[in-house]
Amino acid sequence: MGLGGAVARHGLEDELMRTTHLLRTRLWATVGLAGLAALLTAAPALAASTDDDTPRTDAGTSFRTATEIEQGHRATASASTGDYLYWSFPADAGQRPTVKATVKLPESAAHRPGTRWRVDVYDGLRRRQSCMYGMQSRPADAATVDLACTLRPVRAWSDTWSNDPLPGTYYIRLTATGLRTADLGAPVTAEVEANSKDIGGAAAVDGTLAKPLVPGASVDSDDPDDAADSGTRAALSTAEPEDGWASGWWTDRWIWTGAGGVLAALAGIGGYALTRGNGRAPSGA
């Protein structure tokens, strides 16, 4: 009986040691996955903080001449009431862009009844995108008019009949409506800025575009004597995200799916270790 009790006690100690080792391994794996997820989530913010914040001081007057700006950078322009002002910026899959505009009016142009300032955002196909929220249009009832428009999350792919925002170039158009002839030509100063919130896996879809919607035109030279210009490309927009176009293949769903699989496997191993017994035959008489 003494020998059987010692064997049973030894087997129980071995089982407790294996269980403790499995729990410790699972704990460290969980901590490591949580740290990796936090690092990957913080990486875009760290990259954005090192951007050069050099403002642009001009604006285009059409889609083709829109001034390119980077997200997080403020652009300013001096114009006249009645002008159409255009800027463009890149937006990638998983982002939810927000455009803010401020118009500063002289006293002669402020408090004009019927005059409204409006900001619109168009995608690379020149489809006007609706705003989820934000004051997109305001009356010119003060010396400063603040406008904002938050778009829906940019999707990596959508059906052809859908008007969903897609990766590519986005255009900002700022203008005044309801102007009288006497109001035209008044000097104004405009400021615009585009920022995005990373939505991540919440906006992920099963599909990707072959290329982002960046308007451009290929210009090929058929003249053999002009080899230097052969195959050149004249693009209407050249701006792209700092890290390039993601093409929708990577989202944080990969992290949480992998973490869930690892935790499920560890839970299965731990449950098996706790319920399988010590594997030793009972001692005989």
Side-chain angles (χ1 to χ4, degrees):
M1 294 296 292
L3 180 59
V7 171
R9 186 166 52 255
H10 180 69
L12 181 59
E13 291 175 354
D14 290 344
E15 190 66 30
L16 290 175
M17 291 180 63
R18 285 195 297 268
T19 302
T20 302
H21 178 71
L22 287 173
L23 292 175
R24 187 183 298 112
T25 302
R26 183 168 61 179
L27 177 61
W28 282 110
T30 303
V31 172
L33 289 171
L36 178 61
L39 179 62
L40 293 176
T41 303
L46 292 175
S49 64
T50 60
D51 288 342
D52 182 18
D53 195 17
T54 303
R56 296 295 300 266
T57 57
D58 58 339
T61 56
S62 67
F63 286 102
R64 295 182 62 86
T65 60
T67 298
E68 296 179 359
I69 61 175
E70 296 292 336
Q71 291 195 32
H73 291 188
R74 178 170 295 184
T76 62
S78 297
S80 300
T81 305
D83 291 342
Y84 284 78
L85 305 180
Y86 288 82
W87 295 266
S88 66
F89 67 94
D92 208 352
Q95 295 181 341
R96 188 177 66 191
T98 296
V99 174
K100 296 182 179 179
T102 301
V103 182
K104 297 180 180 179
L105 307 172
E107 290 296 332
S108 59
H111 307 286
R112 292 292 188 178
T115 301
R116 300 184 67 89
W117 282 88
R118 180 181 180 89
V119 62
D120 294 294
V121 183
Y122 297 79
D123 65 7
L125 298 178
R126 299 186 185 180
R127 304 176 302 179
R128 190 177 71 85
Q129 294 294 322
S130 59
C131 302
M132 291 180 60
Y133 50 83
M135 190 61 70
Q136 187 178 4
S137 176
R138 282 183 182 271
D141 56 1
T144 301
V145 180
D146 294 319
L147 306 170
C149 175
T150 298
L151 303 181
R152 294 169 294 167
V154 179
R155 297 160 58 93
W157 177 89
S158 69
D159 293 308
T160 54
W161 49 262
S162 176
N163 196 40
D164 292 326
L166 295 170
T169 300
Y170 281 77
Y171 295 93
I172 306 171
R173 185 178 75 177
L174 180 65
T175 188
T177 61
L179 294 171
R180 299 178 301 178
T181 304
D183 298 331
L184 297 174
V188 297
T189 301
E191 297 180 358
V192 297
E193 185 177 3
N195 294 284
S196 289
K197 179 179 180 181
D198 188 8
I199 302 300
V205 294
D206 296 330
T208 59
L209 294 180
K211 293 182 179 179
L213 300 179
V214 178
S218 296
V219 180
D220 295 327
S221 175
D222 295 329
D223 186 358
D225 296 331
D226 195 9
D229 294 334
S230 179
T232 58
R233 176 178 176 82
L236 300 182
S237 178
T238 58
E240 65 178 31
E242 181 181 0
D243 298 329
W245 298 103
S247 301
W249 73 271
W250 170 259
T251 67
D252 56 9
R253 289 199 303 180
W254 289 93
I255 299 175
W256 301 115
T257 301
V262 171
L263 292 177
L266 292 175
I269 295 174
Y272 174 74
L274 292 173
T275 59
R276 70 185 181 88
N278 57 22
R280 300 176 183 272
S283 57

